[in-house]
Amino acid sequence: MDALADASRSRLLCLLETQELTVSELQAVLQQPQSTVSRHLKILGTAGWVVSRVEGTSRWYSLDDRLPASAMRLWQTVRDEVVALPAVRHDRERLRAVLAARRTTSKAFFSSAAGEWDAVRRELFGAGTELSGLLGLLDQRWVVADLGCGTGQVAASVAPFVAQVVAVDDSPEMLSTAAGRLADLDNVDVRQGELESLPVADDELDVAILSLVLHHIVDPLSVLSEVRRALRPGGKVLIIDMMPHDRDEYRRDMGHVWSGFAEADLSGWLKSSGLIPTRYRSLPADPAALGPTLFVASAAAPENAP
């Protein structure tokens, strides 16, 4: 019971009961340093919860399947409580990414040409080139708003592919940096203003983007209602943000108001604002990333708006 009392060790067991994993893989999933993961594994091993085996230069850990029935009943009781934690849901997302990376490595071993091509492509053209190229699917007639644009990264990426980008932020410091980044793009209009009272005319926008912004907003419904006002009939809003999490330090250190958004809550706000929700999907987790899992959601203004 002492070994299970720590939340990190319970998270470890949730992973190891279904997968045999190395310390480095557990580091990536739990987002904890090697020393911390190794210490927890040692405690669990000493208490008889996990076993390990050596394969080449790697040591693989798993839940001991020879545990007595009484221990398994205890673990099931603890597990039923732990699986409801946001951290465990994020662990599962990152585990999928880690296992996908493992499969890629395995395939590369047996088919070196394919593995080498990925590395060559990254070396020649950079990481994420294929995703940047997908911006070419945007309609070149669109007016797109980057709301809460910050330093203008999204606006700079979208601008070459659409008719106009409206970049909005209420921070003079952020807008100053954005203006410098966007200076060479003649179809970007930088505007200062609050998202709850957008400096945008009715029906001016074809698309509105809220990228990692909504969790800073006290009243998301007021912002979404403003987005609805600014969208043309049939216009769309794209929201990228964090799934529900338990990182309380984000509120304290970075001024976050919301600890992520569940699909039901976001869908309710979108509907209340007059928008039609169309999608909510988690984004593939990057094992090297330190933050919570992200989602992308979209909604549309009615085609026949009054």
Side-chain angles (χ1 to χ4, degrees), residues 238-241 266 279-283 294-298:
L238 183 73
I239 301 169
I240 302 168
D241 220 300
L266 186 61
R279 180 175 295 162
Y280 180 103
R281 295 284 187 276
S282 63
L283 292 174
L294 301 179
F295 70 84
V296 60
S298 58

Side-chain angles (χ1 to χ4, degrees), residues 158-172:
V158 171
F161 301 95
V162 298
Q164 183 186 14
V165 173
V166 179
V168 179
D169 205 290
D170 66 350
S171 167

Side-chain angles (χ1 to χ4, degrees), residues 59-77:
R59 183 176 290 275
W60 298 79
Y61 293 85
S62 62
L63 182 70
D64 192 344
D65 58 7
R66 299 165 299 176
L67 286 169
S70 57
M72 287 303 300
R73 288 195 298 271
L74 174 60
W75 165 236
Q76 289 300 323
T77 300

Side-chain angles (χ1 to χ4, degrees), residues 147 195 208-214 223-224 227 237-240:
L147 303 180
L195 302 191
I209 300 172
L210 290 159
S211 180
L212 296 175
V213 171
L214 211 56
V223 172
L224 295 174
V227 169
V237 57
L238 183 73
I239 301 169
I240 302 168

Side-chain angles (χ1 to χ4, degrees), residues 41-53:
L41 287 171
K42 183 177 181 180
I43 293 172
L44 289 169
T46 301
W49 289 102
V50 302
V51 292
S52 65
R53 67 179 180 88

